Amino acid sequence: VHEAIIPEIAYHGTLIDIPAAEVQRLIEHEAVSLVLADDVMFLRPQTTLRGPLEIEPGPDAAAVDGRPRPPAGERPIAALLDGVPVQAHSLLDGRIILDDPDDLQSRATVQRRIHGTAMASLILHGDQNNGSASIRRPLYVRPLMITHEHGYEHTDRDKLVIDTVYRAVTRIKGTEGQEATAPTVFLVNLSMGDARRPFTRIVSPLARLVDFLSDRYAILFLVSGGNVHHDLSIADFQDWDAFERATPEARERAVLKALNAAKHERTILSPAESLNALTIGAQHHDHLAQRQGGQNAIDPFQDNSLPNVSSGLGLGHRRMIKPEIYLPGGREFVRMKRSGNGLAVSIASPQRLYGLKAAAPDPSGQGRLDYTALSDGTSSATALGTRAAHQIFDALMDREGGSMLADIDPQFYAVVVKCLLLHSAQWNGNDELIKEICGPEDKRRHVERAENSCRFIGFGIPKIAEVVECSENRATLVGFGALAPDSAHRYRVPLPACLERVTDPRSLTVTVAWFSPVKPGHQSYRCVRLEAAPLAPLEVLGVERRKRQPSDVSVKRGSVFHEHFDGESAVPFIDDGHLALQVWCKEDAGVIEETPIRYGIAVTLQAGTALPVYDQIQERLRVRPQPPA
């Protein structure tokens, strides 16, 4: 039916249509000649990305949006690869640039354009229940999914998804002989996962494609971790009545134990295992004031910093931390699936019970453009991630607001934003419960315990406001560069005088992000790794590596390096009050071309008391030594 060859990721795929009887023979492991053919390495069900079916939209006066549209001529920095949106919706009208070269609009029933409409709305405006400001740039939208009147949105069944995504991105950035349709785009939102391709140690072709395109075009892909809607058996309870009567703490512990027991069946979905993308999980959180329809449904967690029950669990390739971060995906409830002689629960539909408020199509087909509905899951969390990336970029470009990076070379936009999007992430205190549940019991095996915690919480939940807003007691320094393998850069970070010889608590956070070339088929897969380390942090600043974070071994496995240090030791400053920090690049699978690796780096110094950290560091940065005449 369709064929695609992408040599850079060792991909040659053919979409074939075979009789049902032959499928049955395949299932029964009979000697089918197709399977025995030398040229066939894998035979798999077709990759199909699809959106949700059950939502409960309604008219919403607040959806008649009076906020100003993006100025004429403003160029997009983000692309949404998703379903066809209702582009005339009051929350989207004048805010999106729709590019549909495959004419999927003609095959997408308007009242079923759910997913693309919601994702575009969340990127542009955020959760409407949260009252956030709209982003000021238009959003480039390339449709991938179609739908019929009563069915799910899904990618074209006559096309290989990997080829569709490849064509979409190369069209955005341009190729030899093809002018770029959106050359300023460096963020790509992919809020879809392949339910037929849960991660099982082998990196999927779609993830390999994302990794290749990230490195080739300096694009940050924001990818959803995937939603797993299998029933969950809860061994600690025999029936629903006992589950309802239990304390919130007991329910929470029982559900976490059940998720841990089923972790290998609830893994992230392709392409969430991508090395270079930021994979986003769904945090058990929303801003819904009133929850309607909660009969026979229970909130499984009291802690809103835990992941949703349906959020796909890590880890990724070679046990790298995946998902890296978690953002609100709705305070998901569960319903009884089976009770008595063992309890099993399923995920309740959002309807009006939980979720993020976003634009929705009019299901009646009458063409109203003011409908909203509650959206949930890792898809919605990923859209919020793309929105956060917009906010971070705006802060970087804000020269009048004090940014010293307004002239940054565009080739570094993606790695710097990737770095800052993760930079404020940290564990929120639930790691001890997760370590207790996931084990091992021996607390001396702290590396394994921390690694098992990363399955559920990654690097943690970022606080985007802390990245884009100033604070008296906190300063964030941002840099970028390019390193060849086996080379290093050294930074000198100016320290504020208010932290010298005092016992006030302070913290240091260091993050480095990059895009690595990849070698499909190589055991390491990742060509290069970057690491960073403050030199003598205890002696220079009075801090040491924080215990409650991913282990040092884990943070070195992906394409981000992220560590926290804290302490309160009173130390005298040395080296004229500077902290030396080294970033180095090392070969892993080995680079193919002698091209330096672009990276972004962020360093935050924060005092636990009201000390003038920001002003003193800013003043030191303004004073530059003059070269001799």
Side-chain angles (χ1 to χ4, degrees):
V1 179
H2 188 210
E3 183 178 26
I5 302 174
I6 307 176
E8 295 90 344
I9 60 169
Y11 178 80
H12 181 183
T14 305
L15 179 62
I16 62 172
D17 190 3
I18 60 177
E22 295 299 309
V23 176
Q24 188 60 41
R25 292 181 62 199
L26 286 170
I27 293 171
E28 295 171 356
H29 303 288
E30 295 186 22
V32 178
S33 57
L34 179 66
V35 177
L36 301 177
D38 291 339
D39 291 339
V40 176
M41 184 173 292
F42 297 109
L43 193 65
R44 295 182 179 275
Q46 182 186 4
T47 292
T48 304
L49 309 181
R50 72 179 197 176
L53 182 62
E54 295 183 12
I55 63 170
E56 192 171 314
D60 186 353
V64 180
D65 182 39
R67 287 167 284 190
R69 281 11 180 204
E74 189 73 55
R75 306 178 84 180
I77 63 169
L80 172 65
L81 307 186
D82 212 282
V84 180
V86 181
Q87 57 263 41
H89 192 285
S90 60
L91 288 172
L92 307 185
D93 186 33
R95 299 183 183 275
I96 64 175
I97 299 171
L98 187 70
D99 182 23
D100 186 16
D102 296 333
D103 192 27
L104 297 188
Q105 296 178 82
S106 63
R107 302 161 63 190
T109 306
V110 174
Q111 59 262 40
R112 300 303 308 161
R113 297 182 185 181
I114 297 170
H115 203 262
T117 301
M119 296 306 106
S121 174
L122 289 170
I123 293 171
L124 290 165
H125 307 290
D127 179 4
Q128 289 285 288
N129 285 324
N130 199 21
S132 302
S134 305
I135 62 173
R136 67 186 190 190
R137 291 179 176 82
L139 175 67
Y140 176 94
V141 180
R142 168 66 185 264
L144 297 186
M145 295 195 294
I146 58 178
T147 187
H148 303 296
E149 188 172 356
H150 302 293
Y152 282 95
E153 292 175 274
H154 59 82
T155 48
D156 191 341
R157 294 192 175 110
D158 289 336
K159 300 288 184 183
L160 289 161
V161 168
I162 190 168
D163 181 65
T164 303
V165 173
Y166 179 74
R167 288 187 297 107
V169 175
T170 54
R171 179 179 171 87
I172 289 169
K173 301 303 290 184
T175 59
E176 187 175 345
Q178 179 181 336
E179 187 177 351
T181 55
T184 52
V185 164
F186 65 90
L187 304 169
V188 173
N189 189 107
L190 196 57
S191 283
M192 296 181 287
D194 182 6
R196 294 173 174 169
R197 196 73 183 247
F199 176 63
T200 53
R201 300 182 65 183
I202 298 175
V203 180
S204 67
L206 189 53
R208 299 203 306 267
L209 178 68
V210 167
D211 288 332
F212 164 68
L213 294 173
S214 299
D215 177 51
R216 168 66 64 89
Y217 294 111
I219 290 174
L220 172 57
F221 282 84
L222 296 108
V223 177
S224 59
N227 303 311
V228 181
H229 289 287
H230 307 324
D231 298 345
L232 179 68
S233 296
I234 302 178
D236 285 5
F237 291 92
Q238 290 299 303
D239 57 65
W240 180 257
D241 288 342
F243 190 62
E244 279 188 309
R245 292 194 305 268
T247 64
E249 294 83 1
R251 282 199 298 262
E252 184 172 276
R253 177 181 289 271
V255 172
L256 286 172
K257 287 176 64 177
L259 288 170
N260 183 58
K263 57 182 177 288
H264 298 301
E265 302 168 2
R266 308 182 72 86
T267 59
I268 53 177
L269 305 180
S270 170
E273 75 274 23
S274 162
L275 167 68
N276 287 326
L278 267 187
T279 303
I280 299 177
Q283 177 194 358
H284 188 68
H285 181 58
D286 58 35
H287 294 91
L288 195 60
Q290 295 181 333
R291 304 184 189 277
Q292 302 175 32
Q295 293 181 352
N296 300 318
I298 289 180
D299 188 342
F301 300 138
Q302 59 178 348
D303 182 354
N304 70 359
S305 65
L306 288 170
N308 271 338
V309 170
S310 68
S311 190
L313 299 174
L315 300 162
H317 179 61
R318 303 195 76 191
R319 304 183 74 79
M320 77 173 78
I321 296 174
K322 288 286 178 178
E324 286 97 343
I325 58 175
Y326 286 79
L327 290 169
R331 198 173 179 89
E332 188 177 75
F333 278 50
V334 296
R335 295 188 189 278
M336 180 187 72
K337 185 69 175 183
R338 185 180 64 252
S339 180
N341 203 22
L343 174 65
V345 298
S346 60
I347 310 304
S349 173
Q351 296 181 326
R352 299 186 183 184
L353 189 56
Y354 62 87
L356 316 178
K357 188 177 176 182
D362 177 359
S364 70
Q366 296 179 8
R368 289 191 59 167
L369 301 173
D370 62 347
Y371 271 66
T372 59
L374 294 177
S375 178
D376 72 309
T378 59
S379 294
S380 300
T382 303
L384 293 186
T386 301
R387 173 179 171 77
H390 263 89
Q391 295 170 321
I392 289 170
F393 183 71
D394 285 343
L396 288 174
M397 296 295 104
D398 186 9
R399 194 188 306 272
E400 294 182 0
S403 173
M404 304 171 77
L405 287 163
D407 297 324
I408 183 174
D409 188 324
Q411 69 172 314
F412 295 100
Y413 284 168
V415 287
V416 170
V417 170
K418 178 180 181 179
C419 177
L420 288 173
L421 193 53
L422 186 136
H423 183 59
S424 62
Q426 60 182 330
W427 286 0
N428 288 338
N430 51 27
D431 57 293
E432 288 302 320
L433 172 62
I434 295 174
K435 287 175 184 176
E436 180 185 339
I437 290 170
C438 297
E441 291 184 10
D442 187 351
K443 293 186 177 181
R444 291 172 298 181
R445 296 166 66 180
H446 55 89
V447 172
E448 293 172 71
R449 288 166 65 87
E451 185 176 84
N452 289 334
S453 295
C454 290
R455 287 185 184 275
F456 287 83
I457 50 180
F459 285 105
I461 297 169
K463 299 177 181 178
I464 304 303
E466 290 189 3
V467 177
V468 300
E469 296 174 0
C470 301
S471 174
E472 178 187 27
N473 67 332
R474 182 180 67 248
T476 297
L477 298 92
V478 181
F480 55 90
L483 275 172
D486 299 319
S487 62
H489 286 162
R490 177 171 288 196
Y491 291 86
R492 294 177 76 235
V493 180
L495 299 175
C498 61
L499 285 178
E500 184 175 17
R501 301 179 188 273
V502 298
T503 58
D504 297 59
R506 78 290 309 269
S507 66
L508 169 72
T509 301
V510 179
T511 308
V512 178
W514 68 98
F515 297 137
S516 173
V518 295
K519 281 188 179 178
H522 193 284
Q523 183 178 7
S524 294
Y525 182 66
R526 179 182 65 172
C527 286
V528 297
R529 69 184 188 274
L530 272 70
E531 297 178 18
L535 305 182
L538 184 60
E539 293 82 356
V540 175
L541 185 59
V543 296
E544 55 188 350
R545 194 178 191 278
R546 185 183 298 172
K547 292 183 172 61
R548 305 185 78 167
Q549 64 177 322
S551 70
D552 187 55
V553 174
S554 295
V555 301
K556 296 176 181 178
R557 290 175 175 157
S559 62
V560 288
F561 180 94
H562 179 63
E563 289 194 329
H564 302 276
F565 302 80
D566 46 32
E568 48 190 31
S569 298
V571 295
F573 286 173
I574 59 175
D575 189 19
D576 192 29
H578 286 84
L579 173 71
L581 178 71
Q582 185 162 284
V583 180
W584 62 92
C585 179
K586 300 180 180 180
E587 288 196 1
D588 211 343
V591 293
I592 303 168
E593 301 174 358
E594 293 299 322
T595 304
I597 305 302
R598 293 165 292 210
Y599 71 88
I601 179 171
V603 178
T604 291
L605 281 165
Q606 181 168 350
T609 54
L611 296 176
V613 172
Y614 182 88
D615 287 342
Q616 290 186 3
I617 289 181
Q618 186 181 50
E619 185 62 31
R620 294 198 66 185
L621 288 171
R622 284 174 176 161
V623 178
R624 302 282 185 176
Q626 295 297 318

